[in-house]
């Protein structure tokens, strides 16, 4: 059960991380979520999995708030976010 929750939270964390308007925050957040997921992928203890799921849920809430704050105080897009001109 906790493993299914962890997989769902991982997907949600990646989706929310992709919503950052700033390139650096977005890349860092996606990279960190992937690293944490892979780190805990082989965890077998139910107690540890529940603790990981709880922390991931809190992280999801933090990311959601940060995305909103980032949109309130938006700055010019990073050069890597701009559409290529031909």
């Amino acid at each position: 059960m906790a493993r299914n929750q962890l997989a769902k939270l991982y997907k949600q964390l990646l989706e929310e991380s992709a919503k950052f308007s700033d390139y650096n925050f977005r890349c860092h957040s996606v990279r960190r979520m992937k690293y944490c997921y892979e780190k805990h992928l082989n965890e077998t203890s139910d107690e540890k999995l529940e603790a990981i799921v709880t922390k991931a849920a809190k992280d999801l809430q933090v990311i959601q708030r940060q995305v909103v704050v980032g949109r309130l105080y938006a700055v010019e897009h990073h050069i890597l976010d701009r559409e290529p001109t031909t």
Side-chain angles (χ1 to χ4, degrees), residues 9-84:
L9 279 171
Y10 172 66
K11 184 178 177 182
Q12 290 176 330
L13 284 163
L14 286 179
E15 289 172 355
E16 285 299 316
S17 296
K19 293 180 182 179
F20 276 112
S21 59
D22 185 83
Y23 174 82
N24 293 321
F25 286 128
R26 186 171 56 245
C27 288
H28 171 74
S29 183
V30 168
R31 185 174 52 248
R32 180 162 166 72
M33 293 307 122
K34 287 181 180 180
Y35 170 77
C36 289
Y37 183 73
E38 290 170 1
K39 178 180 172 185
H40 300 297
L41 193 59
N42 297 324
E43 187 61 54
T44 56
S45 170
D46 288 335
E47 293 173 358
K48 287 185 180 180
L49 281 173
E50 287 297 328
I52 293 167
V53 167
T54 303
K55 181 164 179 3
K58 289 180 182 178
D59 289 344
L60 179 61
Q61 292 174 348
V62 168
I63 289 174
Q64 289 171 335
R65 285 193 302 267
Q66 286 302 114
V67 166
V68 170
V69 169
R71 288 186 179 160
L72 289 174
Y73 301 100
V75 295
E76 185 178 336
H77 287 294
H78 193 277
I79 190 148
L80 295 174
D81 286 336
R82 295 185 185 150
E83 294 294 324

